[in-house]
Amino acid sequence: MTALTPDVQLSKTELKDQPILAWSLIVLSSILLGIWAVKGTIALRNILLGIETLLSFFYCLNFFKFNKEKIPFRNWLPLILLGLMFCWVIFHYLFLSRFPEQQFHELTSTWLRSGLAIVVGIGTGLAFQQRPKAIQFLWIGILASFTYLFYQYIPKAIALNTSFVPDYASYIFYGKISGVLVGTILVLGLLGTMADAIRRGQFWDIFGAAFFWLLGTATALYAYVFIFDARNGVGLAAIFFTLMIITTIFQLIKAALTRKMGLSVPLLLALIIVSTVMLGWFGIQHIKHNPGWSTMWEDTKTSIQIQKYPNWQNPQVMGYPQNPNGEEVKANTYERLAWASAGARIFLPENPLGVGILSKPFTTLLMQKYPNGGAYIPSTHSAWVEIALAFGYPGLLLTLGALFGLLCISVSFAGPHQYLTNLLSLGLILLYTVGEISSQHAIEMLCFLIALMSALLPSSE
C-alpha cells in the first residue's frame, strides 16, 4: 500500500487545476458550516447551497473529465448507501406514507437541501484532494460562529458577575444541542487535522495545526461547560481526548522501541500533557456546576427500566421515579435514557419501516399509543433512534452504514486526511447517538460531511 504524500498533486492524473473554483468552494463551505446551525440564516444557507451546488457541479465535471485514475469501488460505497437512503425516503413517501403532507414538506425542504449538501460536499472534498493543507480553512467558519457566541455571552456574564450563564435559548444557536453539534465537529475536525499534520512531520505545519487545535478546542469546551451546560458535549470530548491520549502513548512506545525519536516525540509528549490538563480542568468545572454527574450511574439503571417505571410517558404528570439510592432521578438523565429506550424497544419493533417524518416521530407514536402521554415531549434525544422511528430499520442501516463504511475504509487505506476521516466518522456516530439532532439542519450537515469525507478518501492504495 502506497500512502499519498501530503503535497500530492493530481496533475499525475492529468487533472486540470481549477484554483478559483476550488477556493470558492472551500471558503463558501467554511461559511456554510459556520452558519448552518445558527438561528435566522435559512435564506443565506439556501443561497450558499444553490451557489455551491453550481460551482461543485462544474468542478466535479472537470475532475471526472481529466482524472485518468479509476476511483475504486470502496470510495463510492458510502455515497451509494447515502443515495439508497434518498431512494428509500422517496419510496416511503410514495407507498408507505402515513402523513403525506408533512412528509412531502420535508421532501421539498430538508431532503432537498440535504441532496444539494451532498453535491457540495463532494465538490469541496475533491478540492481538498489537490490542496490537503487547506483543510484548516474549513473550520474557520465554525470558530467564527463561536466568536459571536462569546460576544453574546460576555455581557451576560459581566452583568450577572458569574462565568456560568447557561441561558442557551437566547444565544446564536438553535438550543444547546446545536452548539454541541457544531462544537463537536470543530473539535473533531481540528484534532484530525492536527493528527494528520503530525504524521506528515513538517514543523511549521504541525505548529499551526496545534495552535489552531488548542484555540478551537478550548473555545468549544468552555462553551460546553459555562454557556450550554452540556453533559453530552463534555462527555464526547472526554471520549475523544481519551482515545487520542491512548493512541499517542502507543505512538511514543513504538518510537522508543524502534529508536526513531524524531521531531514528533516531544510534540506528542506536549500533546498528552496539554490534553490531560485541559480535559481535567474543564471536567472538574462541569462537575461543580452540573449535579447530574454524581448520580449518573444510579439514574441510568432506573431510567432504562421502562416497564417498571412508566413515568417516561408523561413525567410532568407522573413525576420522576427514585433511583436505587432513594433519590429522585435527575430529569435530564432520566428523560434521555428512558425515551431512547422506549423508542428503540417499544416503538421501533412496532413500526419497523418507520412513520416517514423526521419531525417528532417519537412524540407522534407516543400520543397514538398512550393518549395520556406528554405531547410536549420533543424527541428521544437520540438522533439514531429518531431516524429509525422515521424510516425504520432500512433508514437506520443505510445512514449508519455510510459512516461505518467511511470508518473502515479510512482505517485500512492511508491518505492525507486519514486521521481526520477516522475521527470525524467515529465522532458523528457517537454524537448522533446522544444528541437530538435528527431533523432539518442536522440532517443536512450529516449528509454534507459524509459526502465530504467520501471525496477525501485516497484513490491510490
Side-chain angles (χ1 to χ4, degrees):
M1 178 176 67
T2 303
L4 297 178
T5 62
D7 298 313
V8 66
Q9 298 292 325
L10 294 182
S11 57
K12 67 177 183 177
T13 63
E14 301 180 22
L15 177 61
K16 185 179 180 180
D17 191 20
Q18 308 168 81
I20 296 177
L21 270 179
W23 279 107
S24 297
L25 282 170
I26 291 169
V27 172
L28 292 178
S29 291
S30 178
I31 296 172
L32 185 60
L33 266 182
I35 67 168
W36 225 322
V38 172
K39 299 174 184 176
T41 60
I42 183 65
L44 180 57
R45 280 150 46 195
N46 288 341
I47 292 171
L48 287 175
L49 277 172
I51 294 173
E52 283 201 84
T53 298
L54 291 175
L55 295 178
S56 183
F57 174 78
F58 288 113
Y59 191 89
C60 292
L61 189 67
N62 187 78
F63 179 91
F64 292 110
K65 178 180 179 181
F66 289 95
N67 183 22
K68 303 304 180 182
E69 283 188 351
K70 183 179 179 181
I71 298 177
F73 175 77
R74 58 176 168 79
N75 288 33
W76 292 104
L77 185 58
L79 290 175
I80 290 172
L81 292 174
L82 201 56
L84 289 174
M85 177 61 182
F86 276 76
C87 294
W88 172 241
V89 169
I90 295 172
F91 178 87
H92 201 290
Y93 168 70
L94 294 175
F95 301 105
L96 303 172
S97 180
R98 301 188 204 175
F99 308 95
E101 291 185 5
Q102 185 175 351
Q103 194 165 352
F104 181 76
H105 174 72
E106 291 184 350
L107 272 172
T108 55
S109 56
T110 300
W111 289 110
L112 175 59
R113 286 192 293 270
S114 297
L116 298 180
I118 292 174
V119 178
V120 172
I122 294 172
T124 305
L126 294 178
F128 282 125
Q129 277 201 15
Q130 286 188 276
R131 41 193 61 79
K133 295 179 183 179
I135 196 73
Q136 289 280 20
F137 286 92
L138 193 60
W139 319 122
I140 292 177
I142 298 180
L143 191 57
S145 68
F146 270 88
T147 301
Y148 189 82
L149 171 69
F150 276 81
Y151 170 78
Q152 294 178 309
Y153 159 79
I154 291 174
K156 293 178 181 288
I158 294 174
L160 296 172
N161 195 30
T162 178
S163 60
F164 188 65
V165 191
D167 183 21
Y168 46 82
S170 65
Y171 290 126
I172 185 175
F173 298 113
Y174 289 106
K176 67 177 180 179
I177 189 57
S178 289
V180 173
L181 169 62
V182 294
T184 302
I185 293 172
L186 177 64
V187 170
L188 291 168
L190 292 175
L191 181 58
T193 302
M194 182 179 64
D196 285 322
I198 291 175
R199 184 163 57 92
R200 290 193 290 265
Q202 299 175 5
F203 177 79
W204 289 112
D205 188 17
I206 297 171
F207 180 81
F211 175 79
F212 199 13
W213 166 79
L214 181 60
L215 174 64
T217 302
T219 300
L221 285 175
Y222 188 96
Y224 291 166
V225 174
F226 296 103
I227 302 179
F228 300 131
D229 188 23
R231 274 193 293 161
N232 50 8
V234 175
L236 286 170
I239 293 172
F240 304 142
F241 273 53
T242 302
L243 288 174
M244 178 188 66
I245 291 170
I246 292 173
T247 303
T248 304
I249 291 173
F250 275 111
Q251 291 293 327
L252 288 172
I253 294 173
K254 180 180 178 181
L257 293 175
T258 57
R259 297 185 179 181
K260 294 181 178 179
M261 309 296 282
L263 171 67
S264 61
V265 171
L267 290 170
L268 293 176
L269 285 170
L271 179 62
I272 291 176
I273 295 171
V274 172
S275 301
T276 303
V277 172
M278 184 162 53
L279 179 61
W281 189 83
F282 281 112
I284 291 171
Q285 294 302 312
H286 201 230
I287 289 172
K288 290 180 181 178
H289 291 292
N290 193 307
W293 289 107
S294 61
T295 60
M296 189 170 179
W297 177 246
E298 290 77 11
D299 291 349
T300 297
K301 290 188 290 185
T302 300
S303 301
I304 61 177
Q305 299 181 64
I306 55 176
Q307 301 297 342
K308 182 177 180 180
Y309 303 105
N311 307 59
W312 56 269
Q313 297 171 22
N314 195 337
Q316 287 186 358
V317 174
M318 304 172 69
Y320 295 90
Q322 293 184 337
N323 63 27
N325 294 337
E327 303 172 345
E328 185 178 277
V329 296
K330 299 297 186 292
N332 183 272
T333 301
Y334 178 75
E335 290 172 354
R336 288 179 175 276
L337 293 171
W339 291 340
S341 297
R345 292 158 53 189
I346 295 177
F347 296 112
L348 182 55
E350 292 176 353
N351 302 270
L353 298 181
V355 296
I357 53 173
L358 289 169
S359 178
K360 299 184 177 181
F362 177 73
T363 310
T364 301
L365 293 170
L366 175 67
M367 295 304 296
Q368 288 181 349
K369 188 175 181 67
Y370 303 102
N372 294 323
Y376 64 89
I377 296 174
S379 71
T380 61
H381 293 281
S382 172
W384 297 128
V385 175
E386 293 287 308
I387 291 171
L389 293 177
F391 293 101
Y393 293 110
L396 178 65
L397 292 174
L398 289 171
T399 312
L400 261 178
L403 285 171
F404 276 112
L406 282 167
L407 181 61
C408 294
I409 295 168
S410 60
V411 168
S412 304
F413 300 97
H417 303 110
Q418 182 181 25
Y419 291 145
L420 171 62
T421 310
N422 290 169
L423 285 167
L424 198 51
S425 53
L426 175 61
L428 289 174
I429 293 171
L430 297 177
L431 172 62
Y432 280 70
T433 299
V434 299
E436 58 273 27
I437 41 178
S438 57
S439 62
Q440 298 177 332
H441 63 273
I443 295 297
E444 299 163 21
M445 294 176 75
L446 178 63
C447 290
F448 168 81
L449 291 170
I450 290 175
L452 174 78
M453 289 187 287
S454 299
L456 290 177
L457 293 173
S459 299
S460 301
E461 299 182 11

